[in-house]
């Protein structure tokens, strides 16, 4: 989890929400990831998705059946779904997410009986440290008014006709 926290701190410095993740196999880290949503302007570039993709590439298989995921924040619904689909047998998270956590806080996707894979999930490992990092980031973001992004940057690469069509829909 300390290595996942290191990734979260890197995300913080880069202006991303400070969530980091690592995937471990046979006691060794095989992939590292952190949030990259702002850098890639990709709503799916959560730390868990980034690290799952890297691990799958490294192993040459989407099935991560002998790996464990360590992540600094409880996975959301999208990430919990990816965890199930990647067949990860174990997930350890630091801080619970009472607003969108999908591993027990709001939803519990890994425990859904209708699904064909049920990873073991545990939370709370280094939760105070991970939680403090998240609080510091969002406090600073509010003070700097970093969010939301300026409207001009949202329409970059979109001509005025496309923008007016999108607004009228």
């Amino acid at each position: 989890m300390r290595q996942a926290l290191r990734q979260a701190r890197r995300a913080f410095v880069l202006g991303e929400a400070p969530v980091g993740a690592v995937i471990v196999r046979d006691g060794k880290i095989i992939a590292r990831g952190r949030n990259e949503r702002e850098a890639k302007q990709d709503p799916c570039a959560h730390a868990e998705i980034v690290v799952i993709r890297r691990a799958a590439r490294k192993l040459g298989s989407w099935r991560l059946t002998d790996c464990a995921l360590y992540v600094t924040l409880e996975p959301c619904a999208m990430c919990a779904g990816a965890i199930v689909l990647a067949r990860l047998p174990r997930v350890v998270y630091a801080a619970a997410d009472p607003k969108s956590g999908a591993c027990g806080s709001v939803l519990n996707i890994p425990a859904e009986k209708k699904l064909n894979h049920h990873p073991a999930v545990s939370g709370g490992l280094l939760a105070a440290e991970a939680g403090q990092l998240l609080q510091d980031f969002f406090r600073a973001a509010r003070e700097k008014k970093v969010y939301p992004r300026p409207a001009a940057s949202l329409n970059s690469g979109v001509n005025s006709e496309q923008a007016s069509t999108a607004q009228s829909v």
Side-chain angles (χ1 to χ4, degrees), residues 158-169:
V158 177
N159 66 38
S160 60
E161 182 180 326
Q162 290 170 320
S164 65
T165 302
Q167 290 172 0
S168 66
V169 171

Side-chain angles (χ1 to χ4, degrees), residues 17-131:
V19 179
V22 296
I23 291 184
V24 175
R25 181 181 187 206
D26 297 328
K28 295 183 178 149
I29 294 173
I30 62 164
R32 292 173 169 80
R34 62 182 175 271
N35 271 358
E36 298 179 1
R37 291 188 331 166
E38 296 300 325
K40 292 186 174 181
Q41 288 301 293
D42 178 356
C44 298
H46 289 197
E48 300 94 324
I49 301 297
V50 170
V51 78
I52 287 169
R53 286 178 173 158
R54 288 178 181 163
R57 255 192 319 270
K58 179 163 183 140
L59 296 178
S61 175
W62 60 267
R63 292 176 186 88
L64 304 178
T65 55
D66 55 353
C67 299
L69 170 68
Y70 292 81
V71 61
T72 59
L73 181 64
E74 179 183 359
C76 68
M78 173 184 69
C79 294
I83 288 162
V84 168
L85 293 173
R87 309 296 193 264
L88 279 156
R90 184 169 178 229
V91 177
V92 180
Y93 66 84
D97 185 347
K99 292 184 180 180
S100 62
C103 290
S105 289
V106 176
L107 301 171
N108 197 345
I109 291 172
E112 174 55 53
K113 289 177 174 52
K114 293 178 184 176
L115 298 176
N116 65 343
H117 179 70
H118 305 98
V121 177
S122 57
L125 182 62
L126 301 178
E129 192 172 340

